[in-house]
Amino acid sequence: MQTSFTLTQLADPQNYASEKILRACVHCGFCTATCPTYLLLGDELDSPRGRIYLIKEMLEQDQPATKEVVKHIDRCLSCLACMTTCPSGVHYMHLVDHAREHIEKTYKRPLFDRALRSLLARVLPNLALFRLAIVMGLIAKPIAPLFQILGLKRMAAMLRLTPNHKPAPPVDRIGKVYPAQGAPRGRVALLSGCINPVLAPSTNEAAIRLLNRNGIEVVVAAGEACCGSLVHHMGREDQALSQARNNIDAWTREIEGQGLDAILITVSGCGTTIKDYGFMLRADPAYAVKAARISALARDVSEYLATIELQAGEAPMRLTVAYHSACSLQHGQQVTHEPKDLLLKFGFVVKDVPEGHLCCGSAGTYNILQPALAGKLRDRKIANIERLAPDVIAAGNIGCITQIAAGTAVPVVHTVELLDWAAGGPVPEALAKRLVEAAE
């Protein structure tokens, strides 16, 4: 693709990186075949190729984002299936992230849209506020249909996504060390995060047990908090970089103290962003080197577990597992076979979900901000999953787990919970309920 940026424009690191990405695109259109929004809408501007044209024009002309551009960029899930498909190696993720930042700085959204986005950016990364929001959502959930009727579709979507149970009681793991059992074989940091401790603390609990059982000491670094992923994909780059720097400092203290073999993440959406810290902070003289070091150490929990010799385990029941490969894991991190190999090793029957490359519609805050498209993608995903008649669904991302669980009675759990259960840990809570119901 030909570009016409000025030398002054190219002096900006963001424009310089985006110009290189744009030049890599050869207009082949392979990306349209795997883009969920193009599949649903059939609009070229809702495909990666179409969005690339819109971004190119906006950045080259150094124009404020228009309503039309914002509409099509907002509809992008950042599922990154296009990057897996692209034969030219176009780094669409960095390009659309730049576009979102430009939109946030130059476009004035309608009042309600601004208010909702500000609310999400304030509440979701804050454990106390998010816990309160879940409690309030649980109380208000029965009136979600009323919000839908009144046209408040995003509010209705938030309520429908609220789990049908109270949030787990707060457990402060920050700054805690979980010692290895037996001879120590390694030391890792585990991201506690912001969503998991409220919606699914059992995920990190299972990861800690499994790692400790296999001789790995686990630390949740003092000062660690939200990774910045949620606001990063909303274009709020200053907030995202501030959160990234905070975690880089926390993990750097551990590296320079007792050392770390890896930084493990059980939420693949967070993992994709943390692995990108080096790029995000490449122009920051105080953090560029530290950020690159952190990104080099970042691993999805399944990715790390696949590299160590695990103690033998066997699933208490030979269950059929439908493995949902989160977009951020398969497309964002190129981690595809490790979770399935681990489940097979521990005695589960693993089935791939048809159209597994397509997003479930979660995509961070997408299922709130674009509820109609997210709902169609969720329904399509669940139909493909239920066709397999699985006993349980496994996934590596809390967003996917919440999204899919809102539309099916099949229990949805994190992959590491099944592995921990097979290795002697407790049965995952969502699965336990189903097993009790089946026994009755």
Side-chain angles (χ1 to χ4, degrees):
M1 179 179 287
Q2 291 185 339
T3 60
S4 56
F5 287 91
T6 67
L7 291 177
T8 302
Q9 286 176 312
L10 292 176
D12 177 82
Q14 288 283 62
N15 285 334
Y16 180 77
S18 292
E19 195 260 356
K20 291 177 64 177
I21 296 168
L22 289 167
R23 282 185 171 274
C25 180
V26 297
H27 323 284
C28 67
F30 285 166
C31 57
T32 62
T34 56
C35 175
T37 50
Y38 183 74
L39 182 67
L40 292 180
L41 300 171
D43 186 336
E44 173 74 12
L45 294 180
D46 285 312
S47 74
R49 181 171 63 180
R51 292 185 179 110
I52 285 172
Y53 279 113
L54 292 175
I55 295 168
K56 174 182 181 293
E57 182 177 86
M58 178 177 68
L59 295 180
E60 277 185 341
Q61 297 181 19
D62 198 18
Q63 295 177 337
T66 65
K67 183 178 180 180
E68 183 72 5
V69 170
V70 171
K71 178 179 75 172
H72 295 295
I73 299 302
D74 281 356
R75 284 179 178 172
C76 174
L77 294 127
S78 281
C79 70
L80 309 181
C82 54
M83 285 179 57
T84 298
T85 309
C86 180
S88 302
V90 176
H91 206 302
Y92 178 82
M93 180 177 81
H94 289 161
L95 185 65
V96 78
D97 285 343
H98 183 192
R100 290 195 171 110
E101 181 184 0
H102 185 81
I103 288 169
E104 184 68 16
K105 290 178 178 177
T106 66
Y107 181 73
K108 188 172 183 179
R109 295 179 180 274
L111 178 60
F112 181 76
D113 196 10
R114 294 201 309 272
L116 178 58
R117 287 170 175 269
S118 294
L119 180 69
L120 293 173
R122 177 75 179 93
V123 170
L124 293 180
N126 186 295
L127 283 174
L129 291 178
F130 184 50
R131 189 178 300 279
L132 177 61
I134 293 296
V135 173
M136 293 173 65
L138 187 59
I139 295 170
K141 190 170 185 175
I143 63 171
L146 177 60
F147 281 102
Q148 188 76 23
I149 293 170
L150 294 173
L152 299 172
K153 297 178 181 179
R154 292 174 170 181
M155 298 300 293
M158 281 197 289
L159 293 177
R160 285 195 298 266
L161 286 167
T162 304
N164 293 318
H165 55 81
K166 294 179 182 179
V171 177
D172 185 11
R173 297 192 181 279
I174 304 299
K176 303 291 176 60
V177 176
Y178 299 86
Q181 297 175 16
R185 300 167 58 196
R187 188 174 192 268
V188 301
L190 181 67
L191 174 71
S192 178
C194 50
I195 303 297
N196 251 8
V198 178
L199 292 184
S202 57
T203 299
N204 276 4
E205 291 167 1
I208 291 169
R209 284 192 300 266
L210 187 58
L211 289 162
N212 288 168
R213 198 181 292 121
N214 285 278
I216 307 299
E217 180 176 280
V218 179
V219 59
V220 180
E224 170 249 87
C226 178
C227 71
S229 178
L230 289 170
V231 293
H232 175 56
H233 295 303
M234 294 169 69
R236 303 171 76 99
E237 201 62 6
D238 289 343
Q239 184 180 352
L241 293 180
S242 176
Q243 292 173 341
R245 291 185 186 101
N246 174 75
N247 281 359
I248 289 168
D249 287 340
W251 289 323
T252 297
R253 287 192 293 269
E254 290 295 337
I255 293 169
E256 294 176 350
Q258 296 186 48
L260 293 174
D261 299 313
I263 297 166
L264 304 189
I265 304 104
T266 58
V267 179
S268 61
C270 302
T272 301
T273 296
I274 294 168
K275 287 183 177 183
D276 205 42
Y277 277 179
F279 178 84
M280 291 166 62
L281 288 157
R282 67 196 182 283
D284 185 330
Y287 278 86
V289 173
K290 291 190 290 185
R293 178 167 56 174
I294 295 302
S295 291
L297 285 174
R299 300 285 186 276
D300 182 76
V301 65
S302 66
E303 187 180 13
Y304 179 78
L305 289 170
T307 66
I308 63 175
E309 187 177 342
L310 297 174
Q311 294 178 11
E314 185 67 31
M317 302 175 66
R318 193 165 174 77
L319 301 180
T320 297
V321 179
Y323 175 68
H324 164 71
S325 186
C327 296
S328 47
L329 197 55
Q330 63 167 318
H331 303 308
Q333 301 182 49
Q334 301 297 310
V335 176
T336 55
H337 65 86
E338 291 90 341
K340 293 184 289 185
D341 290 348
L342 288 166
L343 289 167
L344 287 167
K345 180 179 179 179
F346 278 70
F348 295 99
V349 178
V350 182
K351 292 188 176 181
D352 287 319
V353 177
E355 294 187 323
H357 64 284
L358 289 180
C359 185
C360 69
S362 172
T365 57
Y366 191 92
N367 50 6
I368 296 172
L369 297 174
Q370 299 284 337
L373 291 173
K376 290 178 181 178
L377 290 170
R378 181 201 62 200
D379 293 346
R380 186 176 184 132
K381 178 66 66 175
I382 290 172
N384 280 322
I385 289 172
E386 292 184 343
R387 196 180 307 162
L388 302 175
D391 298 302
V392 63
I393 303 163
N397 186 58
I398 184 59
C400 302
I401 291 170
T402 304
Q403 172 80 343
I404 295 170
T408 181
V410 181
V412 191
V413 303
H414 196 285
T415 305
V416 80
E417 291 185 86
L418 290 176
L419 299 176
D420 176 56
W421 179 42
V427 58
E429 184 178 352
L431 181 58
K433 293 177 181 177
R434 170 55 67 90
L435 294 177
V436 169
E437 291 171 0
E440 294 174 349

